[in-house]
Amino acid sequence: MKILRDPKRLSPCVLVLGMFDGVHRGHQALLMRGGELAQEMNFPLNVLSFEPHPLRVLAPERAPALLNTIPEKARIMQSFGVDNLCITTFDRARADQSPEDFMAEMVETYAPVVVVCGFNYTFGKGGQGTGKTLRENVENAPKYNDDVIRSLDNPVSTEPGLGVLYGNLAPEGSILKIAAVPETLMTFK
């Protein structure tokens, strides 16, 4: 397990997106799903997170206390098979970045063949980018359908739903088959 700060270009991978301010059960579900996909597809598992917490830049008075330090997160994530914890600097320039520029940079830097994110993951200026934005920009991905996101009553997760995005994200990647996603996490039609 490596901690990479502001990486420039990595090999194709399964990429999990999230702040991971604490590696709670919802985050663990994302890591488990990412780990399963990475093993099935024989790609490294990378996590993209930010430092400082975006609210430290956007609204410091509302910034939460972090539950885990970066080394603590790395130790926990390693137990889920994460190969690289990639820490991207969150500053005013990142906060002002358009969703399209964020996605282009993500593809250029990480060459993801699969992206896994929580149902409430946002990116780009004002949080305009969402899982739906990612899905709409993934070549040959199945249509995302907001109305099938279900609440999890399962005590394994504190998150109301998870999203898994598949497609030809890597510039030279191949189109991937849709893997089965447990209905209790999220269903795409």
Side-chain angles (χ1 to χ4, degrees):
M1 155 66 100
K2 294 180 186 169
I3 298 172
L4 305 175
R5 293 191 177 269
D6 296 311
K8 297 300 178 218
R9 191 158 176 87
L10 300 175
S11 299
C13 66
V14 171
L15 184 62
V16 180
L17 304 175
M19 186 53 228
F20 296 97
D21 44 342
V23 188
H24 59 66
R25 288 185 172 167
H27 293 145
Q28 291 172 17
L30 292 171
L31 295 171
M32 284 189 283
R33 187 62 182 135
E36 291 166 2
L37 292 165
Q39 270 195 323
E40 287 171 22
M41 298 161 51
N42 200 28
F43 281 102
L45 176 61
N46 293 339
V47 171
L48 168 57
S49 192
F50 298 100
E51 183 182 57
H53 191 289
L55 284 176
R56 289 233 180 264
V57 173
L58 301 171
E61 69 285 354
R62 292 190 1 234
L66 299 182
L67 303 175
N68 301 111
T69 65
I70 289 174
E72 289 169 342
K73 282 189 226 187
R75 280 192 297 277
I76 295 167
M77 289 179 179
Q78 184 174 17
S79 71
F80 288 92
V82 173
D83 295 295
N84 296 299
L85 170 55
C86 304
I87 304 297
T88 297
T89 301
F90 193 91
D91 54 16
R92 180 46 61 186
R94 175 77 55 202
D96 290 338
Q97 189 176 35
S98 72
E100 295 76 18
D101 286 348
F102 175 85
M103 289 184 293
E105 182 181 337
M106 179 185 71
V107 169
E108 177 70 23
T109 302
Y110 299 97
V113 294
V114 176
V115 172
V116 182
C117 67
F119 77 102
N120 61 350
Y121 184 76
T122 62
F123 58 92
K125 187 171 183 167
Q128 295 171 339
T130 64
K132 183 176 181 179
T133 308
L134 284 167
R135 177 164 298 285
E136 288 170 349
N137 287 278
V138 175
E139 183 182 330
N140 296 315
K143 179 109 176 78
Y144 178 86
N145 189 343
D146 285 319
D147 65 2
V148 296
I149 298 173
R150 302 170 187 228
S151 291
L152 282 177
D153 297 322
N154 183 340
V156 168
S157 176
T158 58
E159 300 290 339
L162 303 174
V164 181
L165 308 173
Y166 302 89
N168 188 10
L169 289 172
E172 60 280 332
S174 59
I175 305 294
L176 304 173
K177 287 197 256 179
I178 301 306
V181 178
E183 199 171 271
T184 55
L185 299 180
M186 179 176 262
T187 304
F188 297 103
K189 290 185 178 178

